[in-house]
Amino acid sequence: MLRNLFQYYLRQPETLPTLLSAELERRYPGEKVCTYALCDLDSAQHFSEQWVIIAGKLLVTATPLTGRDTWDFRSFALTEIDSFELFDGLSSSSLQIVGEKKRLLASLHFTRRQSRALSNVQFVAEQKKKQLKDSSVSRDLADGLDPDDEYREAMLKAIEDAKSMLSMPKMGVMLRLLSYLRPHKIPVICAFGTAALLTLVLLLPPYLMRVLVDDIIRPAEQGKVDNPYRMLWLVIGALALVYAIGEFMGFIRMRVMSVVGEKICMRLREDLYRHMQKLSLSFFSSRPTGTLIARVSSDTDRLWDFITFGVIDIGMAILQIIGVAVALFFQDVSLALLVLIPLPIMAMMFYFHSIRIQVHFLRMWRKWSAMTAVLSDVIPGIRVVKAFAQEEKEVERFSEKNRAVEAEAQILHRNWTRFWPTVVMLMHTCTLIVWIVGAPRVVRYITTNGEEGMPLGVFLAFTGYMWMFWAPVQQLGMMSRVINRVTTSASRVFEVLDTTPSIVSKENAVPPPPFAGDVRFENVSFSYDGARNVLKGVNFEVKAGEMIGLVGPSGSGKTTLVNLLCRFYDVKGGRILLDGVDVRDMELSGLRRQIGVVLQEPYLFHGSIAENIAYGSHGISPRDIIEAARAANAHEFICGFRDGYETIVGERGQTLSGGERQRISIARAILHNPRILVLDEATSSVDTETERKIQEALRRLVAGRTTFAIAHRLSTLSAAKRLFVLEDGKLVEQGTHAELLEKPDGVYAKLHRTQVELQANVVV
Amino acid sequence: MSTKTDAASLDFELFRREDGRLVMRRDENGKLTEVPLRIACCFPWSLREEFISLRDDKGRELALVEKLSQLKPDTRQLVEEELNSAFFVPRIRELLSIERQAELFLWRVETDSGPRSFLTGHDEHPRTLPNGRILIKDVSNDLYLIENPKELSAKSWKLLWAYLD
């Protein structure tokens, strides 16, 4: 299986070539292969093959010589290597192996997919070098690992990750959509039953026409019947009855299916939204909001259309084709054969047409979502647009996408409108053939006085049936367009449903008991993209109730650190312990319920201030809300509003000032009463009075909780019990504000100096 | 740390050290310093020959070359070499097949660097760059470039077309 994956996806050897390892053993006896990697680029940037191997005390590179059974070997003692220099390029990297006196030993080039295996090689080489130079270092490192497994795992990681993002759908999209009908068995069967009956009943009118002509009118013409009117009224009555039954059946089917369709779509929308809520942050950060909204709204709507009308229409059309075909044969076998001849041709035309048009639908969908993406991108940022007077530019941006939608739709329409007349022409040709063959036979029937040929009634009934035959064929053809549309929409919907959240509670994980609040990071490292490490081996321990200020230049990993604490992402290396338990072993919502977050840009939902304060807390009385607001210094200004706590704040709380919004979010956190608090302090300046009020509110909030504050304000920094200084993903300094200031060359001291200078400028 | 781009800051010499590193030698207050360089391109997709940032290993900018043509020919050649290796992206010449597997796509292509197959994620579509070139990113973050989509063969274009935005 693994062997296949390698060949299938990567087209590169799945282990060190056997010839190569044999040759290695012969040349360097006793040197055991520890790890290896493939460098798939040569210095001229052509894809090629060069292996780099750590064997015993050596680093060996091997390049195949033409002829393929010999190798060009170069080897260096690990102790001879001074350093490894990695250069990450756009799509390729190079690793320079540098010896003593800056002598270049080897220069390896490779693409990103090899990076992981090469970083293994570099890691093992460095560890072994240390062991060789200093025998006190433990020797077991990397010796117990199977080099083949390591290499395989490193190579397949990216592929497996991409695959694990999807729980592979087992059924075709259509079948899967139909499976949603299952809970509604009885109404669906009922609708199908009436539809089938309707189809059968509608087969009668042409037959009645035949009876009318051949058994009543013609005999009456020839004076063969005494009282034609009795029969006549009977036939007319029968026709009326057929139509009445038909109408009633049609009504039942529509009513039942529209009800079922709506229920199914409601369920789909809900499933979809529920599933989205479960997905991890990384899912949302990689997709425009607009396309996600489109999937929940317009895509499910299209599915309704299909379930309500499409499914049964298709069933009915097929049934009608069969029924009419039987009726045609019943009327006249030779003519019926003539009508059926073009059917396979048509089926093929429809098939190829639907394949061609499917691609257009896919493109169309993508253009559509690009257009909605513009909307969901720009409308929340409308203030920026107006401030920069970019209305015209934005209109242009939208209309560009809009035009693209139109252009794509036109191509689509051109395609099917061109297809349609061809089909209709084929039908007309058939009718012509029937006339050419049938009409002379009717004439002969009359001239021979009924001895040979075809009675007029049969001919009329036949042509009637023939039109009934084309109607469902035509409908099926139209349906292929609907089906294409629907499969596109359905697969978009299922795509979301099939994405598995990357952060989930372990099976049978239990909700953690109330935390004391001890936090411990053990050698934590993390990377968002798998390439650049944002945190590199962070270690610290925080006691319950301690307040920690996180400082460091932007991009140093402060926000990442708290993201990991909340388990918005999982660590890539090391672990995070809360009260001695790994966060990954805790039930997720239980964990997050005990961690409170006050964000830099507080997000207020559409609703009243009271609702916003109570967000995330249960069983809250109005008094609780007021007390929380008081503690957050928000009570005063809230009472100043005409609607008090019932003031509705806009989608983003735009009717409030920044300081007010911040205090509401502090009140929210106070009410939430978390054991561990994350404070992402705003850099934006507010006036001194507001600042004082916010500080006061924060002090009350922080009291008694383990707090991590991403701090910028000096007042917060000096309030913190300890400061952690991060730089380039590493914890470089820690201590109190005063302690850190005493180190003149310290990172914090430097940061602080610039901060003070800046503030001095602002104050003046 | 000077980030000014006046003529004075381009007053340096580049050479390749024994270990393969590109090194900047310049006069700093009368003292001759040698710093190994890393190169960054500010607009790697549209202005490959302009705004080249020369930085030390810690990512501090030592000089910003506004146009490669401002450099002395031999210096320029060294910078170009470095750029070529750091900003190398395989260029797709021909598409052989695009196989859909659930929502992942397996591409088999012929590039200037040889044949290649790669897998793209379910939400990763080829991106059209401002100047009409097309960029594809695979699951390992490797990039592939189609320099001139119009020059692709009809067969390649037919394959690619359905996935373009």
Side-chain angles (χ1 to χ4, degrees), chain A residues 324-568:
Chain A
V324 173
V326 170
L328 282 176
F329 275 102
F330 183 67
Q331 304 299 333
D332 189 296
V333 178
S334 57
L335 269 188
L337 281 175
L338 274 178
V339 175
L340 294 185
I341 285 171
L343 202 62
I345 302 174
M346 254 185 239
M348 246 162 64
M349 281 173 65
F350 279 127
Y351 176 71
F352 286 115
H353 176 66
S354 76
I355 285 182
R356 192 170 53 232
I357 214 163
Q358 177 77 59
V359 178
H360 289 282
F361 272 109
L362 207 78
R363 280 175 63 91
M364 175 83 193
W365 189 91
R366 231 179 260 157
K367 307 255 144 140
W368 187 266
S369 64
M371 186 182 77
T372 44
V374 171
L375 291 180
S376 61
D377 181 37
V378 172
I379 292 175
I382 199 75
R383 284 180 56 173
V384 183
V385 176
K386 292 203 176 296
F388 284 81
Q390 290 298 297
E391 291 94 337
E392 277 308 309
K393 179 104 186 286
E394 288 303 336
V395 170
E396 185 42 46
R397 185 144 79 110
F398 177 77
S399 64
E400 188 190 314
K401 303 286 182 202
N402 196 9
R403 277 197 299 270
V405 169
E406 192 243 13
E408 201 61 45
Q410 298 296 9
I411 296 176
L412 192 69
H413 296 325
R414 263 210 298 284
N415 247 294
W416 69 264
T417 48
R418 193 177 338 137
F419 172 71
W420 229 194
T422 331
V423 173
V424 175
M425 198 183 74
L426 217 69
M427 292 175 187
H428 286 162
T429 319
C430 272
T431 314
L432 263 176
I433 292 173
V434 169
W435 280 43
I436 291 168
V437 178
R441 284 165 70 183
V442 175
V443 174
R444 193 168 327 128
Y445 183 81
I446 295 171
T447 51
T448 58
N449 260 330
E451 297 205 342
E452 51 185 295
M454 182 194 261
L456 178 61
V458 174
F459 180 71
L460 288 179
F462 193 91
T463 40
Y465 278 126
M466 199 169 60
W467 283 117
M468 278 180 71
F469 185 70
W470 292 131
V473 169
Q474 206 161 344
Q475 205 178 9
L476 278 186
M478 288 286 204
M479 239 348 130
S480 78
R481 204 162 62 91
V482 175
I483 288 177
N484 280 318
R485 243 176 118 102
V486 162
T487 35
T488 318
S489 282
S491 53
R492 295 294 132 191
V493 168
F494 292 142
E495 186 197 325
V496 176
L497 287 177
D498 288 341
T499 310
T500 44
S502 50
I503 309 278
V504 283
S505 303
K506 273 189 186 160
E507 256 177 75
N508 58 48
V510 284
F515 294 143
D518 290 321
V519 179
R520 207 177 135 125
F521 272 52
E522 276 181 6
N523 210 12
V524 169
S525 53
F526 180 75
S527 144
Y528 286 99
D529 54 6
R532 203 172 68 92
N533 269 340
V534 187
L535 286 184
K536 303 164 186 165
V538 173
N539 280 299
F540 62 75
E541 203 173 342
V542 174
K543 293 213 178 56
E546 229 181 336
M547 179 175 174
I548 302 297
L550 295 172
V551 269
S554 64
S556 57
K558 298 170 303 223
T559 307
T560 308
L561 194 146
V562 297
N563 276 345
L564 292 180
L565 184 68
C566 299
R567 211 182 156 211
F568 288 142

Side-chain angles (χ1 to χ4, degrees), chain A residues 8-9 47 90 112 363 366, chain B residues 86 99 101 113 142 161 165:
Chain A
Y8 198 63
Y9 292 121
F47 294 131
L90 210 48
R112 284 272 150 93
R363 280 175 63 91
R366 231 179 260 157
Chain B
E99 209 178 297
Q101 303 193 317
S113 305
D142 271 321
W161 174 81
D165 276 331

Side-chain angles (χ1 to χ4, degrees), chain A residues 242-263:
Chain A
V242 162
Y243 283 140
I245 293 176
E247 246 85 279
F248 182 67
M249 299 284 181
F251 158 74
I252 289 189
R253 162 184 98 91
M254 294 250 235
R255 167 64 63 84
V256 168
M257 282 321 279
S258 55
V259 169
V260 169
E262 206 55 75
K263 279 196 176 137

